């Protein structure tokens, strides 16, 4: 739903580096909603109680210790020639200050009218990408060592991760694979997978 709202905004402000500084009240609302969701997913991923008051410093301590490669993870923005690394500069000694998008979230949350320029397209894209990546890592974490599939029922229409391996193919892609398996001439199934 949050991704869909951002994608809808592209109809009015094209997703492009030239527009990364474009700011709006709509982006402010998105940053607040995405940031609140990310805060909850951070707690789940780190194994904290969701009712506990935790800070980005607590999350950084856990995540950068247990998943240090998160800083190198590149996210491709589908249909655009854009790659982002939302956690690239995350520094355990300055966890909030080292993530521009997290600073934008807290600035907008605490003083939206004076900090409205922080509610810009680049920060929305990066905080949304951060949420996507943490959700993907969390899904992998909770399905690791089980027979459960590590793909969401609905895959992202905006983001993809290069070199990301899963136990299963998302349902939306499975139909394409099954379609390719059908022999058009005899309407018989070819049991060879070339996916």
């Amino acid at each position: 739903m949050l991704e869909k709202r951002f994608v809808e905004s592209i109809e009015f402000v094209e997703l492009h580096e030239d527009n990364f500084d474009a700011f709006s009240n709509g982006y402010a609302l998105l940053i607040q909603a995405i940031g609140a969701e990310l805060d909850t997913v951070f707690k789940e991923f780190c194994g904290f109680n969701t009712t506990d008051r935790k800070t980005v410093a607590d999350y950084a301590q856990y995540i950068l210790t247990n998943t240090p490669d998160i800083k190198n993870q590149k996210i491709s923005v589908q249909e655009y020639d854009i790659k982002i690394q939302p956690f690239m500069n995350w520094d355990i000694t300055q966890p909030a200050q080292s993530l521009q998008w997290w600073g934008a979230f807290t600035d907008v949350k605490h003083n939206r009218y004076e900090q409205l320029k922080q509610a810009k397209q680049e920060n929305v894209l990066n905080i949304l990408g951060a949420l996507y990546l943490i959700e993907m890592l969390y899904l992998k974490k909770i399905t690791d060592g089980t027979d459960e599939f590590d793909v969401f029922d609905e895959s992202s229409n905006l983001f993809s991760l290069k070199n990301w391996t899963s136990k299963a193919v998302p349902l939306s892609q499975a139909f394409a694979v099954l379609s390719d398996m059908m022999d058009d001439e005899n309407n018989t199934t070819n049991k060879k997978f070339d996916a």
Side-chain angles (χ1 to χ4, degrees), residues 48-123:
F48 300 138
N49 188 320
T50 55
T51 59
D52 290 348
R53 291 189 52 79
K54 295 294 181 182
T55 67
V56 72
D58 298 313
Y59 309 143
Q61 182 67 45
Y62 178 88
I63 294 170
L64 292 175
T65 300
N66 295 291
T67 317
D69 196 44
I70 195 169
K71 294 173 74 168
N72 304 319
Q73 184 65 58
K74 291 181 181 169
I75 302 170
S76 296
V77 183
Q78 298 177 34
E79 298 183 30
Y80 296 90
D81 189 23
I82 298 173
K83 292 191 186 345
I84 59 172
Q85 286 180 262
F87 294 101
M88 180 174 62
N89 296 319
W90 210 6
D91 182 346
I92 206 160
T93 63
Q94 295 184 317
Q97 299 84 353
S98 58
L99 296 176
Q100 177 182 323
W101 49 265
W102 186 266
F105 163 60
T106 58
D107 287 349
V108 168
K109 180 172 79 170
H110 295 296
N111 195 350
R112 185 164 106 193
Y113 298 107
E114 288 188 22
Q115 298 295 327
L116 188 60
K117 287 188 177 181
Q118 294 299 315
K120 59 186 185 174
Q121 187 181 67
E122 179 180 26
N123 287 332

Side-chain angles (χ1 to χ4, degrees), residues 175-191:
F175 287 117
V177 171
L178 289 173
S179 174
D180 289 344
M181 290 174 52
M182 297 300 294
D183 179 20
D184 292 335
E185 204 171 295
N186 300 337
N187 203 22
T188 58
T189 303
N190 176 352
K191 297 188 183 197

